[in-house]
Amino acid sequence: MIEEYQRVYAKIDLDAIRSNMDHMKENISSGTRMMGVIKTDGYGHGAVPIARELEPLDYMFGFAVATAEEAFILRHSGITKPILLLGYTFPYSYERLIQQEIRIAVFRYDMLEELKKACASLKAKGISKKAKVHIKVDTGMSRIGIRPDAEGLDFVQKAFEADEIEVEGIFTHFARADEEDKTEANRQLKAFSDFISQIREKTGKEIPIKHCANSAAIIELPDANMDVVRAGITLYGLWPSDQVSREIVSLVPALSLYSHIVYIKEIEAGTSVSYGGTFTAERRMRIATIPVGYGDGYARGLSGKGYVLIHGKKAPILGRVCMDQFMVDVSGIPEAAEGDEVILIGQDGNERITMEQLGELSGRFNYEFACDIGKRVPRVYTKGGKILYTKDYYQDF
Ligand SMILES: *Cc1c(COP(=O)(O)O)cnc(C)c1O
C-alpha cells in the first residue's frame, strides 16, 4: 500500500460503482435513462472520479448534486453531460450556471425573474444562452417545490412563457419509497402523474424529462421509471433502508476503509481504557491502538460497540473512540502485530463490516456515515484491481 496512506485510507472500487449502475439499469425500462446522484462529494466517495467513470455510458442522462459549487467542480473536471441542482440555488451563481448549462431546480417565482435577469446580463456580455430548468413539485415531502395545484400550474405557465427559460424537466421526490408499504409512494406518484397530465391539457406542452424515482423506487417501484431515474445510495452499493428487498438488484459496496495497528500492549485486570474509563479490563488483555478517530468521521458512537477486522477476525472496540485514535481487543488474535492491516469497513475472508452495520451500531444513518468520512481520509480509486487515481484533500492547498 501507498506508504503515506498507512494511517487510514478509503478504497473506492470503480468497477463496483459501474456494476451497481448496470444492475439497476437492468431493472428499469429500456427507454429510461439514469442520473447519478453525487451530492456531498458522491456520498463521501468522491464525485469527480465517479462521474468520470459513469459519464461515457449511453444510459447515463447525467448527474445530480445539491449545490452550485458541487456542479462547478464537475464541469471544471471535464464532465459535460447534464448536471441538475436538486435544491434551492442562490442567485449569485445563476450567470455561471447558465453559461455552463447546469440545470437549476425552480419552484419560486423570484427564481424565474432572477434567471431572466442573469440571461439579460449575459446577453449584454455577448453570451446568448437560455437557462435550462427542471420544475420541482412537492407531492409529499413538504420540502421545496410547487404544489401540484392551480397555483403550481400558473408557475409552470410562467416558466413556459419566459423566452430566456427552457423547461427541460419536471420532478418530484418520494418521502417513503424505502418502506415495504408503498401506499404513500404510490399516492405521490399519482399526484405527480396527474399534475403532468394537467400541464399537458392546459398548456398543450410536453416537458421532455419527467423523473421521480430515487434508489428505493428504482428497485421496488417500476411504475415510477418515467424518462430518467435518480440513483443515489445504491450507486455506492449501499441500501436505502432495511425494508428494501435485497433480491431484486444485486449491489456491491464500493468503499472499504483501512488502517494499520500502530501499537500493541498488554494491560492487567483493573486497567481502564480511553477517556472516561468507560471500559475496565476484567482480566489480562492484549490491546491494539488504531490511529483513526471521529476526526476522520469514524463515529464516536461506536465507542464500546463497534469492531474492526484484523487477520479476518473481529476485534471489538474498547472504551471511547477518541478524535484520532481508538483501542481494540486483540487478545483473541495472537498473530496481530504492529503494522498489520486493520479493516474498518469491508470484507476479509468470511467476515465483513458494512456501512449499514456501522450506522446501526453508532446510531447514525448509513447515508450519514458515508457522507461523514472526513477530508483527512485519502481516497484511492481502483479499476480492474489497479489504482487509477488517489485523492488526498490535504495536498490541495
Ligand atoms: C438525494 C436525493 C436523491 C437520491 O436518493 P437515494 O435515496 O440516495 O437514491 C434523489 N432525489 C433527490 C431530490 C435527492 O435529494
Side-chain angles (χ1 to χ4, degrees), residues 43 233 297 355 359 362-373:
Y43 294 37
I233 197 81
M355 204 87 79
S362 63
R364 272 193 199 169
F365 183 37
N366 59 336
Y367 286 61
E368 189 187 351
F369 211 100
C371 288
D372 285 355
I373 293 175

Side-chain angles (χ1 to χ4, degrees), residues 87-258:
Y88 172 74
T89 304
F90 292 84
Y92 73 88
S93 58
Y94 289 2
E95 282 192 36
R96 259 180 97 189
L97 290 167
I98 294 164
Q99 265 184 290
Q100 300 188 21
E101 294 186 21
I102 294 161
R103 281 69 165 165
I104 301 168
V106 293
F107 43 88
R108 268 168 51 174
Y109 285 101
D110 63 342
M111 296 180 88
L112 301 180
E113 295 312 311
E114 292 291 341
L115 284 170
K116 288 189 211 172
K117 272 196 238 164
C119 284
S121 161
L122 282 172
K123 199 158 194 180
K125 294 175 199 161
I127 300 160
S128 183
K129 276 203 181 267
K130 284 193 179 198
K132 295 191 184 197
V133 302
H134 288 219
I135 294 169
K136 179 68 190 282
V137 185
D138 174 20
T139 56
M141 276 290 283
S142 304
R143 200 165 62 175
I144 52 172
I146 57 167
R147 290 206 172 78
D149 58 12
E151 197 190 325
L153 206 56
D154 177 70
F155 179 87
V156 175
Q157 243 147 356
K158 290 279 180 328
F160 281 153
E161 282 163 15
D163 290 334
E164 301 87 340
I165 293 174
E166 176 188 334
V167 181
E168 178 186 63
I170 185 163
F171 71 113
T172 194
H173 188 48
F174 293 119
R176 303 175 64 178
D178 60 341
E179 295 176 19
E180 199 179 330
D181 181 348
K182 296 288 190 270
T183 311
E184 176 57 18
N186 279 309
R187 191 203 57 71
Q188 282 191 256
L189 177 58
K190 183 168 187 309
F192 186 52
S193 305
D194 288 351
F195 188 55
I196 290 166
S197 305
Q198 267 189 54
I199 294 171
R200 208 177 276 136
E201 282 160 27
K202 291 271 163 57
T203 69
K205 288 194 179 162
E206 184 71 28
I207 300 178
I209 313 283
K210 298 166 281 291
H211 50 109
C212 59
N214 55 4
S215 294
I218 290 170
I219 298 174
E220 295 190 328
L221 212 63
D223 291 345
N225 284 176
M226 301 192 169
D227 300 298
V228 161
V229 294
R230 305 188 300 267
I233 197 81
T234 41
L235 130 65
Y236 311 98
L238 305 174
W239 295 94
S241 79
D242 54 14
Q243 292 182 39
V244 170
S245 167
R246 305 301 197 248
E247 310 298 319
I248 302 168
V249 172
S250 119
L251 300 175
V252 187
L255 183 145
S256 26
L257 189 64
Y258 301 89

